[in-house]
Amino acid sequence: MNPTDVIVVGAGPTGLMLACELAQAGVRCRLLERRAEQPNITRAFAVHARTLELLDARGLADDLMPHGVPIRGLQPVPGATLDLRKLETRYPMLLIVPQSGTERVLEARAHELGVEIVRGAEVTGLRQDARGVVVELADGRTETAEYVVGCDGAHSKIRELAGIDFAGKQYETHILLADVRLTEPPGDTLFAATGPEGVVLMIPFGDGWFRAIAWDRLREQVPLEVPLPMAEMRDAFRRIAGTDFGMLEQRWSSRFLSERRQARRYRAGRLFLAGDAAHVHSPLGGQGMNTGIQDAMNLGWKLAAAVRGQAPAGLLDSYESERHRVGAQVLALTDAFNRLVLGRSAIRRAVRGVTIRLLLRFGPSRRLLAGRLTGLGIHYPATSRHAHPWTGRRMPDLACEGGRVYELLRDGRHLLVDTTGAAGRSVGNAVKAVRYTGPAVPGLPGAILVRPDGYVAWAGAAARDLPAHHEQALTRAER
């Protein structure tokens, strides 16, 4: 018998989120991290509305909010604004928070749940068979488990050992990153400027430090290993934005090569990929960390069911079928943003800008773009053509007996919401049955079975219509 059920490789936001999901479900999990110490860098800084909803579903959003700066509107191109306050969510915003802040919140929860985080554990080999997986480490030790998940970033060793192709391309223009202090901060909370020589962004962390980002065409061929002095970042901002905002101090800087790649597969037998190990893309749009955390939420409850011997046929395969499709959509979105602001042709950039402004003028296209950008529009295809239209959709945060939907999901179980006013139906301990207590909503199904990751597993006219295969799978979870 393996002493560990699941080995998670990589202690970034994706790996930490997945470890928390598994531990909460009672799965024995070990988190292996190659870095001996946490580095003082943070590349990701945007937490979108859907990710905040999912963190709320585990009681973590309120812990994260004080560490961030909320942004209520975005301007994809000059003259076009996306008003996030109109989003139908508890979190109508983009939360600007350093990745390190998100990791601290997730790591604190992992420790509460008893997750063992092993730092300085570099994976060098991997083999698997029908019984489990053996992970070999650089110090000669081995770790065994039923499953392994690679959350170890764009240069994933797990992906390499599995022989999974990482298809895509590199972008030409390097990204310049620096954390700086300013004597003349911009008036806009999120500042952006474009010009013939590139793009610059200035993003507040809320503690006096700002993240300066530049795509500088004049410096795109400088090797990545060359140090980035503050004078170079100042020069980029002065040329592109007309000001450097009085950059006074720099605590960290780096050159970063942006890529557009996706793993051909997210699963190879007992091995899975999530986060940057599965997909990397342009940072424009702030999608990377959000997509990884959502990968973890999708995979966590499914792996837990498999470890307990309760997963129905095809459940583990559904991780790849659902999340690979989402990953491809995110790559398409961020690639479009990249071409919009960094395209070589001024005429094409202008045409794309006009197109974006037109799209944001009309309700349906504006809602579609907002849904794609914030993650609120993500949905999974139904496996049956007879399924209710709500199946696979994001579950709204309805008011129910005992609390909101996302409060009621915090124990990681399925949730059966009865909106007909009938007494809550029990389907064993693996699912919580509650009554809807909010106002009448046109088109609201009579009963909705919500997955632990906040998506609709089934919907119908009444709770008594819950199909046998759903009820059997949920009931098995008690054993």
Side-chain angles (χ1 to χ4, degrees):
M1 181 177 178
N2 294 323
T4 303
D5 296 319
V6 180
I7 291 172
V8 179
V9 182
T14 302
L16 287 166
M17 187 77 243
L18 179 59
C20 290
E21 287 295 282
L22 294 170
Q24 179 170 320
V27 173
R28 297 169 302 173
C29 171
R30 295 194 83 191
L31 187 52
L32 306 182
E33 171 54 54
R34 178 180 57 82
R35 300 169 296 177
E37 298 180 358
Q38 292 175 309
N40 184 29
I41 64 170
T42 175
R43 284 180 177 161
F45 53 81
V47 184
H48 282 293
R50 182 53 178 165
T51 304
L52 288 169
E53 286 187 338
L54 295 180
L55 292 173
D56 182 36
R58 297 300 180 265
L60 296 172
D62 287 345
D63 294 336
L64 185 62
M65 290 293 293
H67 299 285
V69 178
I71 303 295
R72 306 292 180 176
L74 298 174
Q75 193 174 64
V77 295
T81 300
L82 188 62
D83 188 352
L84 300 180
R85 294 172 298 181
K86 296 181 179 179
L87 297 173
E88 295 181 1
T89 173
R90 186 178 179 84
Y91 302 98
M93 68 183 73
L94 170 68
L95 187 69
I96 301 297
V97 57
Q99 179 177 319
S100 56
T102 304
E103 288 182 358
R104 279 194 296 271
V105 169
L106 293 173
E107 186 167 343
R109 177 55 57 88
H111 286 309
E112 287 177 11
L113 294 168
V115 174
E116 182 181 4
I117 303 176
V118 184
R119 299 194 180 275
E122 182 179 357
V123 175
T124 57
L126 183 149
R127 59 184 186 275
Q128 62 172 309
D129 57 27
R131 295 173 297 176
V133 182
V134 178
V135 174
E136 301 169 359
L137 303 180
D139 61 7
R141 292 183 296 122
T142 60
E143 300 274 355
T144 62
E146 288 190 51
Y147 299 95
V148 64
V149 185
C151 304
D152 49 341
H155 304 289
S156 170
K157 187 66 175 181
I158 299 299
R159 187 185 63 237
E160 175 191 327
L161 292 169
I164 297 176
D165 186 29
F166 204 38
K169 65 180 183 180
Q170 295 179 351
Y171 289 113
E172 294 181 23
T173 304
H174 295 173
I175 304 172
L176 311 182
L177 304 172
D179 287 354
V180 298
R181 286 192 182 275
L182 307 175
T183 59
E184 302 171 6
D188 296 333
T189 306
L190 184 63
F191 174 84
T194 63
E197 295 177 3
V199 179
V200 292
L201 301 174
M202 189 67 79
I203 299 153
F205 285 148
D207 59 356
W209 289 94
F210 290 75
R211 166 58 52 82
I213 307 175
W215 287 260
D216 185 355
R217 292 198 181 93
L218 295 186
R219 306 292 292 169
E220 64 186 13
Q221 298 305 321
V222 177
L224 296 176
E225 63 272 14
V226 173
L228 173 60
M230 188 164 59
E232 184 175 342
M233 186 63 87
R234 280 175 174 160
D235 178 64
F237 268 78
R238 287 169 180 167
R239 284 186 285 104
I240 298 169
T243 177
D244 65 7
F245 299 107
M247 291 185 196
L248 183 65
E249 182 182 353
Q250 179 172 287
R251 67 179 176 183
W252 169 83
S253 64
S254 177
R255 301 179 197 275
F256 174 62
L257 179 62
S258 180
E259 299 180 287
R260 180 194 190 280
R261 298 186 186 278
Q262 186 177 26
R264 297 284 189 192
R265 296 174 290 146
Y266 284 11
R267 181 185 185 186
R270 293 180 172 271
L271 178 151
F272 297 83
L273 300 175
D276 285 356
H279 43 74
V280 294
H281 33 75
S282 168
L284 288 170
Q287 298 293 309
M289 183 177 68
N290 294 273
T291 308
I293 289 175
Q294 292 168 34
D295 287 345
M297 291 287 286
N298 185 291
L299 180 58
W301 69 273
K302 297 174 181 179
L303 263 183
V307 167
R308 295 193 299 256
Q310 300 146 1
L315 183 64
L316 284 182
D317 286 335
S318 73
Y319 167 66
E320 178 176 309
S321 63
E322 290 180 347
R323 295 305 299 172
H324 196 282
R325 173 176 170 269
V326 170
Q329 291 173 346
V330 170
L331 260 69
L333 176 68
T334 55
D335 193 50
F337 280 145
N338 207 82
R339 285 185 278 111
L340 176 65
V341 300
L342 291 172
R344 299 284 173 175
S345 169
I347 294 176
R348 289 181 180 177
R349 289 201 309 272
V351 169
R352 289 168 185 147
V354 170
T355 302
I356 292 294
R357 285 189 286 271
L358 284 173
L359 288 174
L360 292 180
R361 287 181 58 187
F362 301 100
S365 55
R366 183 172 60 249
R367 287 190 292 271
L368 177 62
L369 180 59
R372 292 284 295 278
L373 182 63
T374 64
L376 297 175
I378 291 173
H379 67 276
Y380 301 130
T383 56
S384 167
R385 61 187 180 90
H386 301 295
H388 191 280
W390 274 53
T391 303
R393 284 177 48 174
R394 157 190 166 263
M395 181 64 183
D397 197 15
L398 303 178
C400 297
E401 188 176 43
R404 299 179 289 108
V405 163
Y406 285 82
E407 290 176 317
L408 297 170
L409 285 171
R410 289 178 182 175
D411 61 6
R413 292 188 292 166
H414 283 72
L415 184 69
L416 183 62
V417 180
D418 193 319
T419 72
T420 64
R425 175 191 175 187
S426 175
V427 193
N429 294 328
V431 61
K432 185 184 299 181
V434 297
R435 286 185 296 178
Y436 171 63
T437 59
V441 177
L444 188 66
I448 309 166
L449 181 65
V450 187
R451 304 178 349 179
D453 61 348
Y455 289 88
V456 176
W458 168 85
R464 64 175 177 272
D465 298 329
L466 183 69
H469 69 275
H470 277 299
E471 186 165 353
Q472 290 166 5
L474 293 169
T475 305
R476 278 203 306 272
E478 300 176 53
R479 300 173 184 172

